[in-house]
Amino acid sequence: MFIRSKAPLRLGFAGGGTDISAYYNIYGGYVLNATIDRYAYCTIEPNDNNKIEFCAADLEATEKYNADAELPVSSKLKLHTGIYNRIVRDFCKGKPLSFKMTTYSDAPAGSGLGSSSTMVVAIIKAFTEWLNLPLGEYDIASLAYTIERQDLALAGGKQDQYAATFGGLNFMEFDKNDKVIVNPLRLKRWIRNELEASLVLFYTGVSRESAAIIQNQIENTENKDGQSLENMHELKKEAVIMKESLLKADFDGFSQCLKRTWLAKKRTAYSISNSFLDKLYDDAVLSGAKSAKISGAGGGGFMMLYCNPCDRVKLVKSLKEKEGNVETVSFTDEGAQAWVIY
């Protein structure tokens, strides 16, 4: 028997950063994002040999353990061991499990597409299917967040876990006391098609450690740094404006909002942009892009570019002359899924 699962990665459109607890616990946060046709995958193969094996195929990392109620948190595969420990403690009454787990992702770590949190959701979804756990969508997303931010003390926001679990294009509200509301945007099909046709992804080839950038944002927020806090408020406001622009099919408004969002985001932490990214942005605008921003925390990963669909070929040709990968994107409606193969 095999239990398989997958969870979709996401593009962050607006409001990223307002989903960190230091901000939303005081001011509340708004985020607009959409899941795309790239996934994190997990396969669990149960056995009875009292062994546990984790294999992250894309990282070329494998770790083996004797089955125990609690595993040492691995430096290589801390997500895998951290999730196992929480699942056994909360749902198995401390009884060890025995299995082989294989994981991989369509995007590298540090891509800005929420790959780490999406992997956590995929793994939890596989355990939920295998053990028949009583976990709904909000439960899975909340558990994923708790494991990452509390159990493993990894700095980060809250949008990725909910995007991966629910799927689709969503406007998310984050409030104090861990209250989260996921509002699906019911876009007309032609609006969605136009948006897909207008977007280009460029992988900069630079994998960055998002935790360091987010920690800088957290410190600026806690210290009530005037410029950083003002721009966080701007990011929250732009998420609302962008949502309204999409619902009204105001694509110029969407593009202008994307531009303002990137400018505001760069002012929330010193390491979000750099000379390489700034030049990439400027060159892309000269080649047909109307606006652009880095998806995720910043510093590298994927740049999301918006253009007139008629200019996309010209833009793609220009980007292909640079070091990096050019990709188009399609949105997906479904969140995390799991199934059993006998």
Side-chain angles (χ1 to χ4, degrees):
M1 180 176 74
F2 297 87
I3 299 92
R4 303 196 198 277
S5 67
K6 68 176 185 177
L9 301 168
R10 63 99 186 100
L11 281 177
F13 287 134
T18 70
D19 61 322
I20 60 175
S21 60
Y23 182 85
Y24 70 70
N25 274 332
I26 300 174
Y27 308 102
Y30 296 149
V31 169
L32 181 67
N33 61 30
T35 52
I36 58 176
D37 57 346
R38 288 148 179 80
Y39 298 88
Y41 302 87
C42 176
T43 294
I44 295 176
E45 182 180 359
N47 58 50
D48 55 5
N49 63 9
N50 293 316
K51 302 288 184 181
I52 295 172
E53 180 178 351
F54 295 117
C55 175
D58 50 344
L59 303 178
E60 298 182 345
T62 299
E63 300 217 335
K64 299 179 181 180
Y65 302 89
N66 292 321
D68 204 345
E70 184 172 0
L71 304 179
V73 175
S74 162
S75 58
K76 291 182 181 178
L77 303 179
K78 63 177 62 178
L79 298 179
H80 299 62
T81 48
I83 295 165
Y84 170 84
N85 289 341
R86 169 67 75 149
I87 291 292
V88 169
R89 183 169 74 248
D90 286 5
F91 302 103
C92 301
K93 298 181 179 179
K95 182 179 179 180
L97 299 171
S98 183
F99 60 91
K100 177 181 178 180
M101 176 185 290
T102 303
T103 60
Y104 60 95
S105 175
D106 287 335
S111 64
L113 301 181
S115 55
S116 295
S117 298
T118 303
M119 181 59 73
V120 175
V121 169
I123 293 173
I124 293 174
K125 186 68 176 179
F127 274 121
T128 299
E129 182 73 16
W130 177 25
L131 304 174
N132 194 28
L133 304 181
L135 299 175
E137 291 168 326
Y138 278 100
D139 300 317
I140 290 174
S142 178
L143 179 60
Y145 178 83
T146 299
I147 291 171
E148 284 189 87
R149 306 295 172 244
Q150 297 180 15
D151 295 0
L152 300 176
L154 299 172
K158 207 170 193 175
Q159 62 165 310
D160 298 348
Q161 297 86 354
Y162 287 83
T165 305
F166 283 82
L169 178 58
N170 295 298
F171 181 78
M172 300 181 180
E173 302 175 56
F174 302 96
D175 207 345
K176 58 184 177 181
N177 301 321
D178 290 323
K179 182 181 179 182
V180 181
I181 301 176
V182 178
N183 304 284
L185 259 62
R186 306 298 184 188
L187 293 185
K188 294 179 180 178
R189 174 59 62 174
W190 73 268
I191 298 177
R192 173 171 163 160
N193 289 343
E194 178 70 10
L195 185 58
E196 286 182 343
S198 303
L199 294 177
V200 174
L201 293 182
F202 180 75
Y203 182 57
T204 63
V206 179
S207 177
R208 81 288 181 274
E209 178 57 60
S210 63
I213 298 173
I214 293 169
Q215 187 60 43
N216 186 212
Q217 288 180 312
I218 291 172
E219 291 170 357
N220 288 341
T221 300
E222 291 177 340
N223 295 333
K224 298 191 182 299
D225 178 275
Q227 176 176 297
S228 180
L229 200 54
E230 180 181 336
N231 283 284
M232 292 286 275
H233 296 334
E234 177 70 14
L235 290 173
K236 179 182 174 181
K237 182 180 76 173
E238 294 294 345
V240 177
I241 296 173
M242 186 179 283
K243 175 193 70 171
E244 294 172 349
S245 295
L246 281 179
L247 291 173
K248 294 186 293 187
D250 178 5
F251 294 105
D252 184 62
F254 174 89
S255 178
Q256 292 300 316
C257 187
L258 195 68
K259 185 184 299 183
R260 293 192 300 269
T261 290
W262 176 233
L263 292 175
K265 188 176 183 67
K266 289 198 296 182
R267 293 190 289 262
T268 64
Y270 65 87
S271 54
I272 285 177
S273 191
N274 50 52
S275 58
F276 169 74
L277 295 178
D278 288 340
K279 187 177 188 308
L280 178 62
Y281 184 103
D282 292 341
D283 290 349
V285 170
L286 291 175
S287 301
K290 290 186 174 182
S291 55
K293 70 178 286 288
I294 291 293
S295 182
F302 275 92
M303 177 173 279
M304 177 177 62
L305 305 105
Y306 179 86
C307 67
N308 184 313
C310 294
D311 293 328
R312 191 159 82 167
V313 171
K314 174 186 174 183
L315 176 60
V316 168
K317 183 178 179 181
S318 172
L319 291 170
K320 284 183 176 179
E321 295 174 356
K322 302 181 180 297
E323 293 185 8
N325 297 322
V326 185
E327 302 177 20
T328 55
V329 64
S330 295
F331 302 133
T332 181
D333 292 321
E334 289 193 78
Q337 304 167 58
W339 61 98
V340 178
I341 304 295
Y342 292 98

